[in-house]
Amino acid sequence: MIFSPLTILWALPIVGGFLALALRSGKRAGVFSIALSLISLAFCALLPWREGAALAVTGPAWAYGIHYALSMDGLSWVMCLLNAFLTVIALVSSLGEERSAGYWAAFLFLEGALMGVFLASDLFLFYVFWEVVLIPMFFIIGLWGSANRKHAAVKFFLFTFFGSVLMLLGILALVTLRHRATGVWSWDMQGLQGVATGPAAWAIFAALTVGFGVKVPIVPLHTWLPDAHTEAPAAGSIMLAGVMLKMGVYGFLRIAIPIFPHLSWRLLPWLAAIAAINIIYGAFCALAQSDLKRLVAYSSIAHLGFCLVGVFSRTVEGLAGGTLQLINHGLTTGALFLMVGILYERSHKRGIRDFGALFGQAPWLTFFFSFSIMASIGLPGLNGFVGEFMSLAGAARVLPILAVAGVAGVTLAAAYALPAYQLVFWGDRGPSSVSSHVTDLTVREQALLWVLCLGMLYIGLHPSGLLSVITPATKGLAL
Amino acid sequence: MTAVLPLSAILIFAAPISAVLISFFLVRPFKPRWTHWPILISCAVVAVSAVRIAMRVYTTGPLDVTLAQWMVAGSWSLSFGLRLDGLSSAVLAMVAVVGALIHVYAAGYMEEDECMPRFFLFFHLFYLAMIGLLTSNNYVQLYLFWEMVGMASYYLIGFWYHKATARRAAMQAFLVNRVGDFGFMLAALLLLSAFPGSGARFTAVFPAVAKAPPALVCAIGYLLFWAATAKSAQFPLYFWLPDAMEGPTPVSALMHAATMVTAGIFLMARSWPLIAGVPHLPHLIAWVGAATALGAGIVAATKTDLKRILAYSTVSHLGIMALGVGLGEIGAGIFHLITHGFFKAVLFLCAGNIAHGLGKPTATVDEAGGLIKKMPLTFVCFTVAAFSLAGIWPFAGFYSKDAVLDAAHAFGPGMGLVASAIGFMSAFYIFRMLFLVFLGPRPRQEGGEHGGHHIHEAGLWMGIPVLLISIGAVCVGWFGGQLQSLLSMGWMAAAAPTVPHMKVLEAWPSLALAFAGAAASYWWTTIKPNWDWDWREKSPALAAVFASDFGWKPAMAWVAQAVVALSNWLGLSLDKGSWDRLIEASAEGAVEAGGAGAALATGSVNDYVWWMAAGVAVLLLAVLFL
Amino acid sequence: MNQAVWAVCFALFAVGLSLLILRRELLVMLLGLELMVNAANIGVVYGASLTGDAAGLSAALLIIAVAAAEAVIGLSLILRVYQSGRSPESDVLRELRG
Amino acid sequence: MSAAAVGGLLAPQMVLAAGLLGVLGAGMAAFSPKFIKSLMILAILGAFALAFGAHPGAGDALVGLDGLGFSWQLVFYAAALPLAFLMVAESEVAPALVLGSLLGLGILAVSANLLMLFIGLELMSLPAYLLVARSRGGAKTSVEAAIKYFFAGGAAGGLFLLGLALYYFTQKTMSFAGPGGFGAEAGIALMGSAALFKIGAFPLHFWLPDVYEASDPELTGFLSTALKAGGVLLLMRLAALSPAGAFSRALPWFGAATMIFGAVLALKQERLQRLLAYSSMAHAGNIILGVGAWAALGASPAAAVAVFFYLAAYLFMNNGAFSFLKATGAKTRADLHGLGARNPKAAAAFAVLLLALGGVPPTAGFLAKLLIFWAAFKAHLYIPLLLAALGALLALGYYLALLKDLYFEDAPAQAPALEPGRGLAVLWTCAVPAAVLGVAPWVLTYMSRLLAL
């Protein structure tokens, strides 16, 4: 029935969000929100889901075949877990500043909506959650962001809405075509395979690709991302990069590819080109940035390209690796945004050249930053490598040229990440440096980063734990 | 699985890992000055274990075990494993022993540096990475340690991060290695698709080479060589190595002698069963090696910074090793790798002692001169190593280097000519260095007498390791036969490698060339004491050619600038300036269109009715024609 | 006959519409409005007379009543414009626009 | 059918008429304005209750009640309630005018004949002209707006009559069941232009921003929901005369043009009522597209759920938005700056409404747009559909801009004094359904049952 653990999983944070608002005082709301996010993390981790959608909810039919239907498989579970985990990180990282109750509530709403996206098995429900995600993020950027936040918030919302509208049209078309073929109105994600043929299939797939692609984001639909990331508060960036970008790839995995298994395979050269361009273009753009946050943002574009490579390769290892890379990117980029946020909080600067020689006074910050940077550029033994390597291994099997592009991206990653790292943490303190304002990490921040970095190391050396959860859910898509 | 592992195989990993963890978490926070103790103990354990492993392999044969799953997806999987065969245990023994002694040296060298704990942690990580690299049983795991070596070297080269040159060198080293890693990673990926189900394990890959798609195998071979050119500093990617001198001297010694640069040669030897079958590749390796060896040898003769001379000498000798491997003389190549590890370590440590004695972080020949009286022990060690490097009987270098050069002579007259030049240049530059530093001082040299500084020998920490390694630089060459039998243990290609036994009388042409080189350098350093300074002043153009490595360094700088320019164009001009601008402009355009459209609403009701009439007209037209 | 009646009907309607579009004096525009309504009414009456449809004729009467009500409201609005001290011309009433 | 049965059909209209007489009488008897207002509210509530309990039936030649009329009647009366509650009534005039206009709408709902439609149209419009003229205490601009409204509306009425004459002449009847043909098509087109005028379709809309801007906010809410719903009903009746005719097929294009024009024009408006006026054009475009799709799919009343739901959702959203303007006294976008902090409750409700107007899930506006798009898709109206998607994007642009004003902009140093009126209760009453109706699709099942009555 409706009141199943899965409902609680998404509803708990949303109800919590309202309660946090009702608490009014920012301090109390903060403590409450963190407690709630921890509970939902524990709840998610302990959910007794089993392979084969053992946990599923289907409510009564509403109208036109719309159901309240949720289900959880390995893919959903890892995404939900990532979401719950990064929410905890984001919230705890926000403790350093005075925040109003609305701030905490917004993150809980965001968490709940994201859970819904990863749980929904009805297209209507999926779309509703997909869009609801935008609302708290819009306020997070617009209310608690930095200088250019207003513009960035509106741009973020409009840009992603553009993709969503196209996606909605695609979904509508699918549902209508199924009705034409079978006489049944249903918004179920299952059973849509083959309802669209010919030009309709092409058009629908294109619409879905744009819809999911804006979120990923795929080049050239990416320009909202650097602005949104740059202006969002650190915790917002963590959620944005850590979880929200994953919605796009999740959409490909959950909807676009299962519904169009053959078409997406025939389009492999084009999709692969998109992914390859993402990797290379993202890396080059990151190389040109002088703002730390923008740099990490562009690096996200490149990293998500690896996920796409793996997913589009449609091999068992590629799909698993691409999905794992979603988690990896969440941890790594989450940590990086967290630290850039810490730098910004202390110095109110983000420019790479605003800093210098931070090593001397902030050794722990330096340690964690270099650790995360190394994970980010795919140093084997850490998480980033596993995801990238498996994705590219899939690619190498089906389209070796794609692997070439991917490996070139790995190479370029070092070229953009290390100079930035060096300029900030090594080197001289320039005349305009604000390094003297930067103090080393507090115990709270250290604890967060230890968790993140140990996670990176764990996945890097023992990814099979997560992979054994992901693979059964994704291998059905392999050809 | 672990049951079959001998204790020493466990210890080569367990000791360094636990030492690093203990030092980082327990010792460093409380007694930072003691950070090196767990690490030194670990070095001793590793050195002993490595020797034991070599003995074990020598007597009982190779060991190849898969220890744990790494990445698994369905039937696709990669695992962690250990391969201790002749090749790995031989190199491992040298790396472990030389590396351990360099650790001891570093304990003295870094005594007064306040960042000593950080140094030792990375230093030991570097060592650990090299051990892992040598003992991997599959390509992907090898790649893991390959990258880890690069990472550790990055932090060590940039150890003195406040120095701009150190930062630049660290970055260059890492990035150039990454460019090489492009080849390795791609090769590993292609391996996995060319040999499905192999898990990239050597034992699964090599027997199947003949059955795999030839085009893929060919690509893999060339890519692996590309990777090796970066790590082992071969043309075209050699140029990071001379700059990597910016780190502390023990780092240079470890990097040049025992770890890092030998990895590429090791990779080629390891992959020989695959590379041997790729058309033209072995010859390419040989020629690249020869060209690198000769070019770097010439440049080494023009350098004045002591460590730089040695750095180019390393590049040159790596070229010799590559030449050996390329000619199919894997045994000779690996033999040279091992002997080179010893004598190069001595040379670097001596250079460190000289700089230390002069009270400077680095020294040039201008600052030295006539040190024979003030640093006699260093002089002796340096001389031994220089003889070894020059390939003079009965020192170690003679047996290995001349074996390679002999093979080159056998290959053909062209290669033979190049090999002769290499032999001559090796002797020339190392004796030039020896004479310039220890004889004299010449009129242009300070002879260390600056600011009333008292020149002295280094302490025991720095002296004893040099002495011990010097013994190796003398003797290791005598064990070629044993090496040959060791290498044949678990050798995966058809023909076991041979280590040619050089006889002093048969090798007279090489010896003659070496002596000629030594004599020439005596002529131009001591008989004509000012020549080394004069030619530079007389022909600056020529000096510039050498200083730019025959123009290769500016070319590479141009490439780097081109990448930066391209990224600026893409990331700032195209992405932000054009594309994003266009998107924003479309939104602004819509708003402006709204402003312009507002002019239609004139406020006059007559106009409103006119518009209505127009609308009705459209409707009526639709009725007429639709 | 049909054509003649409809020609008159359309012509009157067009004249009314033209007054509405071209003239600025509100009273003249009101005149045009009445002209339009009555021109249309001619069509109704003619249609009803052809078939002798009583419903049609009563419809015409109703339309006349509605037109009268409309005229009253129009005049009262024009009066309001007078009272606010503005001349009753559409050119004056252009404060709202854009 | 007996006269009594017809009378039963007309019960809500009779209540309204009685209320109208009662209000006038009470006014002459000098009852307090408060009492008069209560009488009006009572009449509207009574009409709503009776309309809700009515049993649709065929009626006679002039009136009849089908599912469409039944459902729309509910919208009409419900949409009048915010105005009834919020309006300032100093005498009996304004309440009487409101009741008169509502009576016209009620007649429209039960019309089974073109003449009745005309009478309903005129009766709903004429009081509206006067209500506009009386807005803001009879300000100059209000009179100006009324004049424009009157002349443009008069012209529309004339066009309707000309179409009626043509239709009658060629079909020999004023009922909905003519034989069709070119004369009928032309007549429908002319009459339909009056309906398009009422809805505010491009290019017959130019009166609309002026009128919406110059009226009291609550009146604008009424005009943009109740009267617009009347126009939509008129349009649907006319389109149903010839569902495959030229007029019906032209509708999607008018809809697309209207929504793009409205959305673009709204983007640069500074005055809130004018902005919302153009935004209501954008919504009107969606509705017209929905009607076009409905006609293309056969124009059966039961299939009108999309349009009905849109109107119902729009009723809450727009009345809510205008009651926010009433409650806070905000007139320009600059007035909104910092309101999120100064007046968090009203701002939160307005934010919900803005998201709903923008069509963001889970609000009612989302489901409304979804249904329209879906209907258009089913009717193969692909290009208008894409234009509608573009329109939705443009529309979101100005709603987000308002959200930005509300929350992200700081209040200016000396904030202009606003004149807050009542309306918070109405605001929240509108905001809650607008927020949740989007994830309550079972409402649709209920609606289609109503429409099929």
Side-chain angles (χ1 to χ4, degrees):
Chain A
M1 256 331 284
I2 286 186
F3 293 101
S4 87
L6 297 189
T7 303
I8 296 172
L9 192 56
W10 72 262
L12 183 72
I14 294 213
V15 173
F18 282 111
L19 291 178
L21 275 181
L23 283 174
R24 285 159 185 278
S25 130
K27 266 212 162 61
R28 269 180 296 165
V31 174
F32 170 79
S33 305
I34 288 170
L36 196 93
S37 66
L38 282 168
I39 291 171
S40 65
L41 174 62
F43 186 75
C44 181
L46 297 175
L47 263 186
W49 66 277
R50 274 210 322 276
E51 210 35 66
L55 266 192
V57 191
T58 307
W62 285 341
Y64 305 122
I66 299 171
H67 281 76
Y68 173 78
L70 308 174
S71 73
M72 175 175 266
D73 61 357
L75 178 60
S76 297
W77 185 70
V78 291
M79 296 314 292
C80 288
L81 201 63
L82 176 72
N83 176 24
F85 176 70
L86 284 180
T87 303
V88 174
I89 299 281
L91 288 178
V92 175
S93 78
S94 311
L95 272 177
E97 290 185 55
E98 290 280 317
R99 299 291 197 193
S100 66
Y103 178 85
W104 305 100
F107 277 91
L108 290 179
F109 288 138
L110 186 66
E111 182 186 9
L114 284 164
M115 291 282 187
V117 170
F118 298 133
L119 290 174
S121 64
D122 178 282
L123 285 169
F124 180 87
L125 210 56
F126 175 80
Y127 185 78
V128 168
F129 281 122
W130 177 277
E131 289 290 276
V132 169
V133 165
L134 298 181
I135 300 170
M137 191 43 92
F138 173 72
F139 283 104
I140 289 171
I141 297 173
L143 276 176
W144 297 285
S146 41
N148 198 17
R149 63 200 158 84
K150 302 168 202 164
H151 179 74
V154 174
K155 184 174 176 182
F156 158 75
F157 202 129
L158 274 181
F159 209 128
T160 48
F161 192 79
F162 157 75
S164 309
V165 168
L166 283 181
M167 182 179 108
L168 179 65
L169 295 183
I171 290 175
L172 278 177
L174 282 169
V175 172
T176 313
L177 288 174
R178 165 151 66 190
H179 179 251
R180 275 185 204 151
T182 64
V184 178
W185 284 119
S186 167
W187 290 65
D188 194 349
M189 284 181 191
Q190 305 292 318
L192 283 166
Q193 196 180 328
V195 300
T197 51
W202 287 77
I204 296 171
F205 188 73
L208 292 178
T209 303
V210 172
F212 298 136
V214 167
K215 264 294 193 303
V216 170
I218 57 176
V219 176
L221 303 172
H222 65 285
T223 65
W224 62 272
L225 180 118
D227 285 351
H229 269 311
T230 315
E231 303 304 331
S237 297
I238 293 172
M239 293 306 288
L240 193 56
V243 195
M244 277 185 67
L245 300 190
K246 313 305 156 51
M247 291 162 62
V249 183
Y250 178 83
F252 279 111
L253 280 167
R254 184 64 87 199
I255 295 175
I257 293 177
I259 292 176
F260 297 103
H262 303 301
L263 183 59
S264 58
W265 181 244
R266 276 175 61 199
L267 288 174
L268 174 70
W270 297 100
L271 297 173
I274 288 175
I277 288 172
N278 249 42
I279 294 174
I280 305 287
Y281 184 87
F284 269 114
C285 286
L287 187 48
Q289 301 308 315
S290 55
D291 180 309
L292 266 179
K293 261 189 147 177
R294 275 189 97 81
L295 188 148
V296 183
Y298 276 109
S299 85
S300 292
I301 295 175
H303 284 135
L304 268 290
F306 286 107
C307 303
L308 289 180
V309 164
V311 169
F312 291 149
S313 78
R314 302 288 288 287
T315 55
V316 175
E317 67 270 25
L319 285 159
T323 311
L324 184 69
Q325 183 66 359
L326 297 179
I327 313 287
N328 294 336
H329 177 254
L331 294 182
T332 313
T333 308
L336 286 175
F337 273 125
L338 178 59
M339 284 181 278
V340 176
I342 287 169
L343 280 177
Y344 183 73
E345 184 197 336
R346 287 169 200 193
S347 63
H348 297 283
K349 293 273 185 193
R350 287 188 312 249
I352 292 168
R353 287 177 191 279
D354 291 332
F355 300 96
L358 278 180
F359 199 158
Q361 72 217 63
W364 279 112
L365 184 62
T366 313
F367 170 75
F368 288 117
F369 203 94
S370 24
F371 196 99
S372 308
I373 279 280
M374 284 295 163
S376 167
I377 67 176
L379 188 78
L382 299 177
N383 58 352
F385 174 72
V386 178
E388 286 172 4
F389 191 81
M390 290 180 75
S391 299
L392 294 178
R397 209 136 65 85
V398 298
L399 200 64
I401 185 76
L402 188 52
V404 175
V407 179
V410 175
T411 307
L412 283 169
Y416 64 74
L418 284 186
Y421 163 75
Q422 280 201 356
L423 284 168
V424 174
F425 291 96
W426 292 5
D428 314 305
R429 215 173 263 188
S432 61
S433 166
V434 290
S435 292
S436 51
H437 301 292
V438 180
T439 49
D440 205 2
L441 300 179
T442 62
V443 175
R444 174 176 55 84
E445 290 158 349
Q446 272 192 45
L448 286 179
L449 285 164
W450 271 118
V451 171
L452 286 167
C453 287
L454 287 178
M456 293 176 209
L457 187 64
Y458 172 75
I459 296 179
L461 292 177
H462 187 71
S464 36
L466 275 174
L467 285 171
S468 67
V469 174
I470 294 169
T471 314
T474 55
K475 74 174 175 209
L477 300 178
L479 286 172
Chain B
M1 289 300 255
T2 40
V4 301
L5 274 187
L7 177 66
S8 44
I10 297 172
L11 281 178
I12 52 170
F13 286 98
I17 291 172
S18 45
V20 166
L21 292 179
I22 290 170
S23 299
F24 184 71
F25 286 106
L26 297 177
V27 183
R28 185 196 53 85
F30 306 106
K31 280 273 181 199
R33 308 302 315 167
W34 291 7
T35 310
H36 57 298
W37 281 111
I39 286 168
L40 290 179
I41 294 166
S42 151
C43 283
V45 173
V46 170
V48 172
S49 305
V51 173
R52 280 185 60 95
I53 287 170
M55 285 157 63
R56 191 192 139 99
V57 172
Y58 189 76
T59 52
T60 63
L63 180 78
D64 192 320
V65 286
T66 297
L67 296 172
Q69 293 280 24
W70 186 9
M71 308 176 208
V72 197
S75 59
W76 186 94
S77 74
L78 286 176
S79 48
F80 290 119
L82 199 59
R83 181 175 177 84
L84 298 169
D85 60 1
L87 177 62
S88 58
S89 63
V91 181
L92 176 65
M94 181 279 284
V95 167
V97 171
V98 175
L101 290 170
I102 297 174
H103 272 80
V104 177
Y105 177 88
Y109 189 88
M110 298 301 293
E111 207 169 20
E112 275 144 38
D113 197 300
E114 58 179 314
C115 292
M116 183 266 255
R118 174 163 59 97
F119 175 84
F120 267 97
L121 289 167
F122 279 116
F123 205 58
H124 207 51
L125 223 48
F126 199 28
Y127 187 56
L128 167 66
M130 194 63 200
I131 294 166
L133 191 152
L134 295 173
T135 54
S136 296
N137 80 338
N138 67 63
Y139 275 104
V140 185
Q141 185 186 343
L142 203 160
Y143 180 67
L144 187 162
F145 290 108
W146 179 276
E147 284 283 271
M148 194 169 154
V149 165
M151 182 271 288
S153 73
Y154 169 71
Y155 287 108
L156 288 170
I157 296 168
F159 180 75
W160 286 317
Y161 59 84
H162 44 83
K163 272 168 62 185
T165 48
R167 294 198 299 271
R168 205 183 146 273
M171 178 107 69
Q172 179 176 278
F174 196 88
L175 293 186
V176 173
N177 272 296
R178 269 263 155 162
V179 171
D181 298 344
F182 168 84
F184 199 152
M185 188 162 171
L186 196 54
L189 291 166
L190 295 179
L191 263 167
L192 287 171
S193 68
F195 302 93
S198 68
R201 280 191 311 281
F202 305 131
T203 47
V205 168
F206 296 144
V209 167
K211 282 168 274 173
L216 273 180
V217 172
C218 181
I220 293 164
Y222 279 95
L223 288 167
L224 286 174
F225 174 54
W226 175 253
T229 60
K231 223 27 143 223
S232 281
Q234 298 297 294
F235 184 83
L237 297 179
Y238 73 92
F239 54 93
W240 64 273
L241 186 64
D243 289 344
M245 296 299 91
E246 296 293 341
T249 298
V251 175
S252 311
L254 194 61
M255 182 189 291
H256 285 251
T259 64
M260 185 104 177
V261 293
T262 53
I265 305 296
F266 175 79
L267 177 69
M268 287 192 284
R270 183 50 103 199
S271 311
W272 183 247
L274 192 153
I275 288 176
V278 176
H280 311 303
L281 181 56
H283 289 173
L284 177 70
I285 296 173
W287 277 109
V288 168
T292 310
L294 183 58
I298 293 168
V299 174
T302 67
K303 294 290 169 194
T304 57
D305 187 297
L306 300 188
K307 281 168 81 177
R308 245 170 226 284
I309 299 173
L310 295 177
Y312 277 97
S313 133
T314 304
V315 175
S316 172
H317 277 261
L318 289 166
I320 293 171
M321 295 174 214
L323 172 61
V325 170
L327 293 176
E329 292 289 339
I330 313 293
I334 293 298
F335 195 20
H336 193 57
L337 189 157
I338 293 170
T339 56
H340 173 259
F342 283 93
F343 63 69
K344 189 52 63 69
V346 174
L347 291 172
F348 262 108
L349 298 184
C350 287
N353 280 352
I354 293 163
H356 187 261
L358 294 173
K360 299 201 157 192
T362 61
T364 64
V365 291
D366 298 350
E367 293 153 354
L371 295 183
I372 187 165
K373 283 172 238 130
K374 288 152 190 160
M375 303 181 81
L377 182 68
T378 306
F379 169 70
V380 170
C381 294
F382 196 102
T383 311
V384 164
F387 273 75
S388 192
L389 186 146
I392 289 165
W393 185 86
F395 295 93
F398 165 75
Y399 295 94
S400 58
K401 190 176 99 179
D402 286 7
V404 175
L405 297 183
D406 235 28
H409 284 292
F411 180 76
M415 189 65 95
L417 199 63
V418 176
S420 306
I422 295 168
F424 176 82
M425 283 315 297
S426 288
F428 178 78
Y429 66 71
I430 199 64
F431 279 101
R432 165 178 172 266
M433 182 175 172
L434 179 73
F435 296 146
L436 284 177
V437 171
F438 291 100
L439 303 185
R442 293 154 189 80
R444 305 282 188 99
Q445 285 183 308
E446 294 175 8
E449 303 298 334
H450 60 95
H453 180 82
H454 175 65
I455 301 170
H456 56 87
E457 279 284 6
L460 284 182
W461 279 110
M462 291 163 71
I464 288 177
V466 182
L467 265 179
L468 289 177
I469 305 174
S470 301
I471 295 171
V474 179
C475 315
V476 189
W478 308 337
F479 301 98
Q482 284 81 356
L483 179 67
Q484 180 171 332
S485 8
L486 182 59
L487 283 180
S488 64
M489 291 296 174
W491 185 251
M492 284 176 281
T498 56
V499 178
H501 185 66
M502 298 304 296
K503 298 207 175 64
V504 59
L505 292 177
E506 289 166 12
W508 66 265
S510 320
L511 278 175
L513 278 168
F515 280 116
S521 69
Y522 190 76
W523 176 264
W524 277 309
T525 57
T526 312
I527 311 286
K528 288 185 173 292
N530 286 333
W531 180 84
D532 208 78
W533 287 264
D534 289 345
W535 74 263
R536 260 180 257 273
E537 284 162 11
K538 278 183 198 140
S539 48
L542 194 61
V545 167
F546 290 127
S548 66
D549 292 5
F550 307 106
W552 190 243
K553 273 168 137 177
M556 289 296 101
W558 183 86
V559 169
Q561 278 164 8
V563 170
V564 170
L566 176 65
S567 78
N568 280 335
W569 180 76
L570 276 176
L572 301 178
S573 183
L574 180 74
D575 193 70
K576 182 117 186 88
S578 303
W579 177 235
D580 189 42
R581 193 71 217 98
L582 183 71
I583 289 172
E584 299 234 345
S586 66
E588 287 158 15
V591 175
E592 290 313 313
L600 291 178
T602 56
S604 161
V605 69
N606 306 87
D607 296 348
Y608 295 1
V609 178
W610 191 92
W611 276 105
M612 282 174 69
V616 173
V618 170
L619 264 176
L620 290 176
L621 283 176
V623 171
L624 275 175
F625 297 110
L626 209 66
Chain C
M1 187 61 193
N2 275 356
Q3 283 91 335
V5 173
W6 281 106
V8 170
C9 173
F10 278 122
L12 281 177
F13 193 88
V15 170
L17 192 59
S18 309
L19 287 178
L20 209 51
I21 293 175
L22 299 174
R23 296 298 294 265
R24 301 289 188 258
E25 300 84 358
L26 293 181
L27 281 169
V28 179
M29 289 169 71
L30 185 61
L31 203 69
L33 210 58
E34 291 301 312
L35 211 52
M36 283 166 73
V37 172
N38 288 308
N41 219 356
I42 289 175
V44 176
V45 171
Y46 177 61
S49 70
L50 278 185
T51 53
D53 183 13
L57 288 171
S58 52
L61 278 176
L62 255 172
I63 291 168
I64 290 168
V66 169
E70 205 173 62
V72 168
I73 287 173
L75 282 171
S76 76
L77 288 174
I78 294 171
L79 201 63
R80 278 286 186 107
V81 176
Y82 262 125
Q83 284 170 348
S84 67
R86 289 174 288 185
S87 72
E89 288 176 24
S90 64
D91 276 352
V92 177
L93 304 175
R94 290 182 60 185
E95 217 169 297
L96 295 163
R97 60 163 114 179
Chain D
M1 184 172 248
S2 68
V6 172
L9 284 183
L10 293 179
Q13 286 76 0
M14 287 178 180
V15 169
L16 288 172
L20 178 56
L21 289 175
V23 163
L24 287 173
M28 277 188 267
F31 278 97
S32 78
K34 215 172 181 171
F35 174 81
I36 294 172
K37 195 175 159 185
S38 312
L39 202 60
M40 168 186 67
I41 292 171
L42 218 60
I44 296 172
L45 285 173
F48 185 84
L50 286 170
F52 195 71
H55 295 285
D60 60 13
L62 291 178
V63 299
L65 190 62
D66 60 355
L68 216 55
F70 176 90
S71 311
W72 252 254
Q73 225 175 340
L74 299 178
V75 173
F76 295 153
Y77 303 148
L81 283 171
L83 171 66
F85 280 111
L86 293 178
M87 70 192 291
V88 184
E90 284 151 357
S91 67
E92 77 281 11
V93 180
L97 288 171
V98 170
L99 287 176
S101 186
L102 263 189
L103 185 57
L105 285 165
I107 289 171
L108 204 60
V110 295
S111 298
N113 179 295
L114 291 173
L115 184 66
M116 286 300 284
L117 281 180
F118 175 70
I119 291 170
L121 173 68
E122 287 296 318
L123 191 47
M124 80 179 193
S125 305
L126 294 178
Y129 303 148
L130 295 177
L131 280 169
V132 171
R134 294 169 56 83
S135 280
R136 304 188 192 283
K140 277 185 177 181
T141 49
S142 299
V143 175
E144 175 190 332
I147 289 276
K148 290 177 182 174
Y149 195 11
F150 171 79
F151 279 106
L159 286 166
F160 189 94
L161 268 183
L162 187 64
L164 177 68
L166 256 179
Y167 186 88
Y168 177 61
F169 181 75
T170 53
Q171 311 294 303
K172 312 295 178 209
T173 172
M174 290 194 192
S175 77
F176 293 158
F182 176 77
E185 290 298 333
I188 292 168
L190 284 168
M191 289 187 282
S193 64
L196 289 177
F197 165 87
K198 273 285 147 205
I199 306 174
F202 177 83
L204 301 95
H205 71 277
F206 280 94
W207 59 277
L208 183 142
D210 292 355
V211 171
Y212 282 17
E213 184 189 345
S215 305
D216 290 328
E218 67 276 21
L219 177 61
T220 310
F222 176 75
L223 294 178
S224 62
T225 54
L227 257 59
K228 191 162 277 182
V232 173
L233 184 62
L234 190 60
L235 189 67
M236 290 171 82
R237 293 287 188 215
L238 294 169
L241 289 179
S242 169
F247 177 68
S248 301
R249 278 183 287 142
L251 281 183
W253 300 96
F254 269 90
T258 304
M259 78 181 95
I260 298 288
F261 187 87
V264 169
L265 268 275
L267 282 171
K268 220 188 173 178
Q269 296 300 329
E270 287 296 320
R271 285 162 294 179
L272 290 172
Q273 275 186 226
R274 202 169 181 84
L275 192 158
L276 286 174
Y278 278 118
S279 103
S280 87
M281 265 185 81
H283 287 283
N286 274 301
I287 294 173
I288 295 169
L289 172 60
V291 173
W294 171 75
L297 291 171
S300 77
V305 176
V307 178
F308 182 33
F309 185 84
Y310 205 110
L311 279 171
Y314 191 58
L315 184 167
F316 290 112
M317 302 187 298
N318 224 31
N319 273 313
F322 281 106
S323 56
F324 170 82
L325 298 188
K326 177 85 175 174
T328 59
K331 292 198 175 49
T332 65
R333 282 183 56 182
D335 292 346
L336 293 179
H337 288 187
L339 261 190
R342 277 187 288 154
N343 195 345
K345 279 186 187 149
F350 191 47
V352 167
L353 291 165
L354 287 174
L355 288 172
L357 287 164
V360 180
T363 60
F366 155 66
L367 189 56
K369 279 214 171 68
L370 173 80
L371 292 172
I372 296 287
F373 286 8
W374 199 2
F377 189 86
K378 284 191 268 193
H380 303 282
L381 299 169
Y382 299 120
I383 295 174
L385 179 60
L386 282 178
L387 290 172
L390 175 64
L393 189 65
L394 288 168
L396 193 67
Y398 49 83
Y399 293 125
L400 289 180
L402 292 184
L403 272 180
K404 180 178 80 131
D405 292 335
L406 208 52
Y407 282 101
F408 304 163
E409 302 286 354
D410 297 322
Q414 60 276 67
L418 301 177
E419 305 150 26
R422 286 165 304 161
L424 262 188
V426 174
L427 175 56
W428 274 103
T429 314
C430 290
V432 171
V436 298
L437 273 182
V439 280
W442 58 84
V443 173
L444 301 174
T445 320
Y446 181 68
M447 284 185 168
S448 46
R449 220 178 300 147
L450 289 186
L451 284 166
L453 278 173

